[in-house]
């Protein structure tokens, strides 16, 4: 390699790369040295607030770190038996599950209400105490202009006292029935009807809610069309709430009423025009004494009566 000469006699000074006194710092003669947090030629990258070169900044759950494995927050708390972060409660049952549902966009206009509806629906289907089902997340994927597929994650939490109020003996018993309910929902979808809170109902009351016993909550499974009429109550014996499950193979007015042993009418549980499908409605008999009662269903020419035993 020929040395570069300056003027006629002098050579480039050792350590320099040209006659102007420039040096090579790693990026070429006279060029700036490697720069930026990645130390490359011409780089302008900088460390973010967490010291990560060209990082996203403080986007972690705990400042510049994620929640440590086994903990549930940034201050070292852990989950208790009931799924409460930092709690000290003891649960007989704690289940985490999810269900995929196809719904109309209008159903999701108020997510809080939709979550409350689904919680009440699952509690009704499994005959669980109110407040034991909690929706924790709703994620949706648009399928069409009017339909959306959503995945709902929820928990079921029961204390020993609440478990004793159900017809289940163990977590596995609840999971077995829950899986059937989830399959019914995913295959057929669901619809919520609130009896007298439904503006289309004969007994509509704008001041009624499903939470203050002024209305009957009616849970509907919209699955394939039943082949025949059907009436069944579960649990039986019961205390104090039982579910009346019924099916109709064709559209028609369905009347379901509760009677005492003397034949006196106590409560109208359903009296509306329904599409073919499988339905359930709860009867809360907390205001009545232990004894024998009857539920009668009438739809067209179909009439069926079931004997119930209320044991308190």
């Amino acid at each position: 390699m020929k040395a570069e000469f300056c003027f006629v006699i002098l050579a480039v000074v050792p350590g320099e790369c040209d006659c102007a006194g420039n040096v090579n710092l790693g990026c070429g003669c006279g060029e700036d040295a490697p720069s930026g947090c990645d130390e490359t030629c011409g780089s302008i990258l900088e460390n973010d607030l967490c010291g990560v070169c060209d990082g996203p900044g403080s986007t972690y759950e705990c400042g510049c770190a994620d929640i440590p494995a086994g903990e549930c927050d940034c201050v070292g708390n852990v989950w208790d038996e009931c799924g409460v972060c930092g709690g000290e409660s003891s649960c007989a049952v704690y289940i985490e599950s999810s269900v995929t549902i196809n719904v109309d966009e209008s159903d999701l206009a108020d997510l809080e209400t939709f979550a409350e509806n689904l919680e009440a629906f699952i509690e009704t289907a499994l005959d669980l105490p109110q407040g034991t089902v909690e929706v924790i997340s709703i994620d949706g994927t648009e399928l069409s202009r009017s339909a959306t597929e959503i995945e709902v994650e929820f928990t079921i939490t029961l204390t020993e006292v609440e478990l004793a109020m159900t017809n289940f003996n163990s977590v596995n018993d609840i999971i077995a029935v829950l899986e059937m309910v989830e399959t019914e929902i995913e295959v057929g979808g669901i619809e919520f009807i609130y009896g007298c809170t439904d503006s289309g109902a004969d007994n509509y009351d704008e001041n009624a809610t499903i939470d203050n016993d002024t209305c009957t909550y009616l849970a509907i499974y919209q699955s394939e069309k039943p082949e025949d009429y059907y009436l069944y109550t579960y649990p039986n014996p019961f205390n104090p709430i039982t579910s009346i499950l019924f099916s109709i193979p064709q559209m028609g007015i369905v009347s379901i009423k509760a009677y005492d042993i003397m034949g006196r009418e106590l409560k109208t549980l359903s009296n509306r025009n329904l599409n073919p499908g499988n339905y359930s409605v709860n009867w809360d008999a907390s205001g009545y004494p232990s004894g024998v009662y009857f539920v009668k269903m009438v739809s067209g020419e179909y009439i069926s009566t079931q004997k119930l035993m209320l044991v308190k």
Side-chain angles (χ1 to χ4, degrees), residues 26 37 48 51 55 87 108 111 127 138 142 169 178 183 186-187 193 202 206 220 248 251 276:
C37 57
D48 65 9
L108 303 178
L111 287 180
D127 193 26
I138 300 176
E142 186 175 344
N169 296 317
L178 177 62
T183 299
E186 292 181 344
V187 172
I193 292 182
D202 294 335
E206 63 180 4
I220 301 178
I248 55 172
M251 178 183 292

Side-chain angles (χ1 to χ4, degrees), residues 80-156:
D80 69 6
E81 294 181 12
C82 298
V84 178
C85 184
E88 298 179 354
S89 51
S90 177
C91 284
V93 173
Y94 179 71
I95 300 171
E96 292 184 1
S97 190
S98 65
V99 62
T100 301
I101 315 172
N102 289 336
V103 297
D104 290 334
E105 284 190 357
S106 59
D107 293 333
L108 303 178
D110 185 342
L111 287 180
E112 183 176 350
T113 297
F114 181 85
E116 292 175 353
N117 290 344
L118 186 60
E119 290 167 355
F121 184 92
I122 296 174
E123 288 167 358
T124 299
L126 273 66
D127 193 26
L128 299 176
Q130 184 177 351
T132 54
V133 177
E134 180 182 4
V135 171
I136 55 178
S137 71
I138 300 176
D139 294 320
T141 302
E142 186 175 344
L143 298 179
S144 66
R145 291 183 178 180
S146 60
T148 298
E149 182 180 82
I150 61 172
E151 181 178 11
V152 183
E153 294 182 347
F154 61 92
T155 61
I156 298 176

Side-chain angles (χ1 to χ4, degrees), residues 257-261 263-266 283 292-296:
K257 296 181 180 181
Y259 298 85
D260 66 13
I261 196 170
R264 290 173 296 202
E265 182 180 322
L266 303 178
W283 179 37
V292 175
Y293 295 87
F294 296 91
V295 168
K296 183 178 181 181

